[in-house]
Amino acid sequence: MRLTVLGAGPAYTDRQGASGACYLVSEGATHVLLDLGQGSFTRIFPHVTPLDLAAVVVSHLHPDHFIDLVPMRHYLRYEFHPPRRMRVMGPAALAERLDALHAEPGFTAEALDTEPLDETPRRIGALRLEARLVVHTEESYAVRVSGAGGPGLVYSGDCGRADDLAPLIRPGDVLLSEVSFGPGPVTANVLHLDGPAVGRVASAAGAGRVLLTHLLMGRDPDATLASVRASYDGPVELVWPGTRLELFLAQGGGGDPGSIQPSGR
Ligand SMILES: [Zn+2]
Ligand SMILES: [Zn+2]
């Protein structure tokens, strides 16, 4: 399974080149996007064409996680004759929210086949998808994607309580977690995570590797890494747009930690 980070940003930042959350997961010929936040649509093209995507999975309805479904919809609607379509899974209100942006009922349905996400496991090509509700918005999910029975990738989405991730994480899984508040602490009543919380859940659940993302503006990357390492012994890295990782050997074997190719922060 390969992970390509297309966007790793939070809702806003001064970090040059940052864009909204968007992670391309590939297993064989199956390609799935986890989230499609602001500015990330164009970043799909160097890796796959959007038509090669089996689905887009949206964790929750904050714009830094779903708003580039608008250019995706336009691309499918206007670039092809006849227009093409895309399978999109997400919170139940997804289509209504996109329609409202254009004050146009049916705007979404012209190109996107939306499907409510829930906690029922489902298949997307060669990948298995599990989702679990987490505390953040009214309907926010963390997801686990895996190949045929092997270890998986657990993506936190945005999450206000690290323990919500534990039921998804199996020993040896890679945890791709938001770490909005860096070394911490999280501001009172704000539903995001910090490094100490991520380290604790990764350690308790037996994650094989931790990838950190969604770092807020002004938070120090090195202090963030140290705050996770204080309670987690395995490999920990921050990921950025352009990071490509071979997470697992094909057919679910191994647990090869792969190699990281850092790019501009
Ligand atoms: Zn976010
Ligand atoms: Zn959010």
Side-chain angles (χ1 to χ4, degrees):
M1 185 188 299
R2 186 185 320 123
L3 170 68
T4 307
V5 178
L6 305 184
Y12 70 89
T13 180
D14 61 351
R15 189 179 302 122
Q16 296 303 297
S19 64
C22 189
Y23 308 93
L24 173 65
V25 179
S26 302
E27 172 86 3
T30 300
H31 305 283
V32 171
L33 283 189
L34 305 180
D35 283 338
L36 188 48
Q38 79 272 11
S40 286
F41 175 75
T42 60
R43 293 196 161 152
I44 300 168
F45 292 83
H47 306 285
V48 293
T49 85
L51 298 182
D52 291 329
L53 295 168
V56 180
V57 178
V58 172
S59 65
H60 67 290
L61 299 183
H62 279 158
D64 56 318
H65 296 260
F66 86 103
I67 205 68
D68 267 19
L69 283 173
V70 174
M72 175 67 87
R73 180 268 187 198
H74 292 328
Y75 167 82
L76 297 166
R77 174 82 177 77
Y78 299 117
E79 194 64 21
F80 303 96
H81 306 281
R84 306 296 286 266
R85 305 192 63 80
M86 180 73 61
R87 183 182 181 193
V88 180
M89 282 158 265
L94 173 58
E96 183 188 349
R97 192 72 62 89
L98 285 173
D99 287 358
L101 283 168
H102 278 245
E104 185 184 329
F107 170 85
T108 307
E110 283 196 2
L112 306 181
D113 293 316
T114 54
E115 194 178 310
L117 197 55
D118 57 29
E119 296 188 343
T120 310
R122 62 192 82 192
R123 283 233 150 252
I124 308 173
L127 290 168
R128 184 171 190 270
L129 174 76
E130 296 166 73
R132 207 175 156 89
L133 285 165
V134 297
V135 170
H136 182 63
T137 59
E138 187 182 353
E139 187 179 2
S140 291
Y141 294 95
V143 297
R144 180 181 190 269
V145 287
S146 57
L153 172 72
V154 173
Y155 168 51
S156 66
D158 284 354
C159 178
R161 190 168 58 202
D163 286 348
D164 289 356
L165 305 175
L168 277 180
I169 305 169
R170 301 198 189 130
D173 279 357
V174 174
L175 173 61
L176 169 62
S177 181
E178 72 125 304
V179 67
S180 297
F181 282 79
V186 176
T187 302
N189 301 317
V190 175
L191 296 173
H192 280 291
L193 300 180
D194 60 14
V198 175
R200 277 194 299 272
V201 74
S203 184
R209 180 178 192 179
V210 172
L211 308 175
L212 302 170
T213 190
H214 204 277
L215 186 65
L216 291 181
M217 178 171 161
R219 265 62 180 190
D220 181 64
D222 291 333
T224 300
L225 290 166
S227 73
V228 176
R229 288 176 179 143
S231 58
Y232 176 70
D233 289 337
V236 185
E237 306 109 61
L238 274 149
V239 298
W240 311 98
T243 298
R244 278 189 104 190
L245 301 166
E246 296 293 340
L247 296 182
F248 308 114
L249 300 177
Q251 300 178 337
D256 181 359
S259 61
I260 195 161
Q261 298 171 12
S263 72
R265 294 180 177 184

